[in-house]
Amino acid sequence: MTNLYSVVSTYLLVHNIDKTERLYVAFSGGSDSLALLSVLSSIMATKPIAVYVDHNIRSREELDREIIKNKENCDKLGVKLLIHTLEEGEIEALCKKEKITVEASARSLRYSFFDNLDSYVVTAHNKDDQEESVFMKLLTGSTFQSLSAIKSKRGKYLRPLISVTKAEIEAYCRENNLSYSSDSTNSELFCLRNKIRHLVMPTLSSDIKESLFNISQNVEAFLNRIEIISFQDYVLYKTINRSLLINALPLQRDISLINLLSQFTSRRITKGELDSFYLNSITKRSFETNDYIVTFKDDVIRVYPPNFYFSTKLSLNKEFMNCIFCKSDGKDSLLLPNEDLLIRVSEEGDEIETKDKKVKVKELLSSMKIPYCFVVCSKSEIVGVFAKCFGGKNRISRRLICGNWQLLPRYDVICKTLLEC
């Protein structure tokens, strides 16, 4: 019988995770996550925090029972339970918007929450999950690199049980008198993974399952030797060298692009999407998707989020940098109370009167190869275009050139500080 304490301790040592580190455990309440939480609560010097995501798609009665049991188990282990509840209909809305399955939508929203946690997130993926994933990749004709399936470590995500079987995990729960929950949807054949889990995997021999697992390990080991073309992070956008990318080996290029585009989306990035990105890079043709906007300047590829909002952590009438966050004509804005000016994100139709003539802000941005910027507005006109933090140049209106030059440094400070909000 596999010793889970030894497996997890060795994993933490290999990946240089100090036992004083505060870890978040993705906790569904099932056998896998309960066993993982139990082991970590015993071996970590700092108690882990269990994170339960209520997807709000099963019956409220079943979910409430599950939450009660999860609270009991966390109390028993002496760990804190953090519950994040999705809004009713939130998953269905994302399904409709992105044209994805319920499973994919739930995963996307779940990981969006995990991404914002301030430390490592430990998930309880096990060997059975890995074997299913590899079989599913082979069945659907996925790319070579995707055969690594569930990586043992991906950024902030740790998976110490990836080499442990489901049977060994359940045996641990029995030995330690751990009573776990069961998600009723796991037995339904509504998605490909469940069909593979219940109809295919039981018919495969242990040797074939072991071979599937070995494929994932061998591909991951190979991919770890591939030199990834790094991207530069400028907070509001990211860049990658165009020449290096288009001259790279196909596998190196695809992995580098996945590494870059994963900063903008948690969904699966398709081979067709990678090929399209490559072809546009050759011709320097700007394009956009639901997840990002791509522009080209000189030998640099710039990637921006599709929309930019600076009000994420601000609430109405809250003071920020001596400004007040407000809504102006329905738009998120910052009010400079002394000057009666607003700061907002640029939009279609904006114009600014420069020293020479009145020009459309969109034309200025097009020449700078950026999709949007900050603008400073009076009641009647735009008096400043602040694009430097997006890779462009700042411009001020004729009124400011002829007026009080002491205002300009203040705007630059505000624009710079917006990167931190």
Side-chain angles (χ1 to χ4, degrees):
M1 179 63 66
T2 299
N3 185 320
L4 263 61
Y5 297 99
S6 176
V7 169
V8 175
S9 294
T10 300
Y11 177 94
L12 296 175
L13 182 64
V14 168
H15 293 284
N16 298 312
I17 308 298
D18 195 280
K19 290 188 177 180
T20 61
E21 191 83 50
R22 180 181 62 187
L23 303 177
Y24 293 95
V25 177
F27 184 60
S28 67
S31 59
D32 305 340
S33 59
L34 180 57
L36 176 60
L37 187 64
S38 170
V39 172
L40 287 173
S41 67
S42 296
I43 67 177
M44 295 297 290
T46 301
K47 285 284 188 179
I49 297 175
V51 183
Y52 174 82
V53 178
D54 178 355
H55 296 97
N56 223 336
I57 52 176
R58 285 182 280 153
S59 73
R60 194 68 251 167
E61 182 182 1
E62 180 181 348
L63 288 169
D64 288 341
R65 283 200 309 269
E66 188 171 88
I67 290 172
I68 290 171
K69 180 176 282 292
N70 288 348
K71 288 179 178 177
E72 291 173 350
N73 279 324
C74 287
D75 288 343
K76 180 179 178 181
L77 296 173
V79 302
K80 178 182 177 181
L81 175 63
L82 174 63
I83 300 176
H84 176 66
T85 303
L86 298 179
E87 296 292 332
E88 187 173 350
E90 191 173 354
I91 286 179
E92 292 82 355
L94 185 61
C95 287
K96 185 176 181 180
K97 178 183 176 183
E98 302 292 340
K99 297 181 180 179
I100 55 178
T101 64
V102 170
E103 183 186 39
S105 178
R107 182 187 186 281
S108 177
L109 292 170
R110 182 168 65 249
Y111 274 84
S112 290
F113 177 72
F114 291 159
D115 286 344
N116 290 317
L117 295 175
D118 58 5
S119 187
Y120 291 105
V121 178
V122 194
T123 71
H125 291 95
N126 59 55
K127 191 175 182 181
D128 292 45
D129 296 326
Q130 185 73 297
E131 292 163 356
E132 293 166 5
S133 295
V134 174
F135 188 92
M136 187 160 59
K137 301 292 185 185
L138 291 170
L139 188 66
T140 56
S142 298
T143 59
F144 170 79
Q145 60 267 26
S146 71
L147 294 177
S148 63
I150 306 168
K151 292 181 172 59
S152 57
K153 181 180 184 296
R154 180 177 64 84
K156 68 185 291 183
Y157 294 96
L158 311 177
R159 292 163 179 134
L161 300 184
I162 200 66
S163 63
V164 182
T165 66
K166 180 80 169 180
E168 291 170 324
I169 291 171
E170 291 180 343
Y172 172 89
C173 289
R174 288 194 298 273
E175 291 169 4
N176 291 274
N177 296 316
L178 297 176
S179 175
Y180 50 86
S181 303
S182 296
D183 184 339
S184 62
T185 62
N186 285 340
S187 60
E188 298 173 2
L189 304 180
F190 67 94
C191 65
L192 180 59
R193 179 176 290 277
N194 279 12
K195 291 175 182 177
I196 290 173
R197 174 173 296 171
H198 297 296
L199 302 180
V200 178
M201 300 307 292
T203 69
L204 302 181
S205 68
S206 58
D207 287 343
I208 292 177
K209 292 179 182 178
E210 190 67 26
S211 294
L212 291 171
F213 181 76
N214 288 338
I215 287 173
S216 70
Q217 301 305 290
N218 291 336
V219 172
E220 182 173 351
F222 176 78
L223 294 178
N224 287 336
R225 292 176 172 269
I226 297 292
E227 184 178 355
I228 297 176
I229 302 168
S230 61
F231 62 83
Q232 300 298 311
D233 190 345
Y234 292 96
V235 184
L236 298 183
Y237 68 103
K238 306 186 192 319
T239 68
I240 192 168
N241 185 279
R242 174 179 168 272
S243 292
L244 289 178
L245 187 71
I246 64 178
N247 291 313
L249 295 171
L251 183 58
Q252 180 189 25
R253 181 179 68 236
D254 286 354
I255 295 172
S256 300
L257 280 179
I258 290 172
N259 187 47
L260 169 63
L261 299 181
S262 294
Q263 307 300 308
F264 297 88
T265 180
S266 59
R267 64 172 174 76
R268 177 174 171 261
I269 298 167
T270 67
K271 177 61 175 171
E273 185 176 0
L274 297 175
D275 290 343
S276 176
F277 194 112
Y278 171 61
L279 292 174
N280 285 316
S281 299
I282 292 175
T283 59
K284 288 190 174 183
R285 180 176 176 272
S286 298
F287 66 98
E288 62 180 285
T289 71
N290 290 333
D291 299 303
Y292 49 83
I293 299 172
V294 181
T295 67
F296 300 86
K297 185 172 178 61
D298 301 324
D299 203 33
V300 174
I301 302 173
R302 295 171 171 175
V303 187
Y304 299 83
N307 293 293
F308 181 79
Y309 303 98
F310 58 82
S311 64
T312 307
K313 296 182 180 179
L314 300 178
S315 55
L316 286 176
N317 301 319
K318 180 178 179 180
E319 184 174 320
F320 174 73
M321 275 296 295
N322 297 318
C323 303
I324 302 296
F325 176 63
C326 63
K327 293 281 187 180
S328 176
D329 296 328
K331 307 178 186 71
D332 293 345
S333 306
L334 290 174
L335 174 66
L336 283 70
N338 295 336
E339 273 64 65
D340 195 23
L341 296 174
L342 292 170
I343 297 176
R344 61 170 172 79
V345 178
S346 61
E347 59 181 30
E348 190 74 27
D350 285 343
E351 293 183 330
I352 183 170
E353 178 129 15
T354 64
K355 183 178 180 181
D356 302 315
K357 60 179 179 179
K358 180 174 283 191
V359 296
K360 292 185 181 297
V361 172
K362 182 178 180 180
E363 292 177 1
L364 288 177
L365 299 182
S366 179
S367 67
M368 300 175 193
K369 308 295 185 185
I370 63 176
Y372 39 63
C373 68
F374 295 124
V375 293
V376 179
C377 315
S378 69
K379 291 181 178 179
S380 59
E381 64 178 325
I382 291 174
V383 297
V385 169
F386 291 95
K388 189 174 182 180
C389 52
F390 295 98
K393 295 181 180 179
N394 295 344
R395 300 288 293 271
I396 55 177
S397 73
R398 178 195 296 270
R399 183 163 77 83
L400 283 190
I401 294 173
C402 299
N404 185 356
W405 279 87
Q406 297 305 310
L407 295 179
L408 183 57
R410 181 180 180 188
Y411 298 152
D412 281 336
V413 169
I414 293 170
C415 188
K416 180 180 178 182
T417 306
L418 286 173
L419 300 180
E420 302 170 2
C421 73

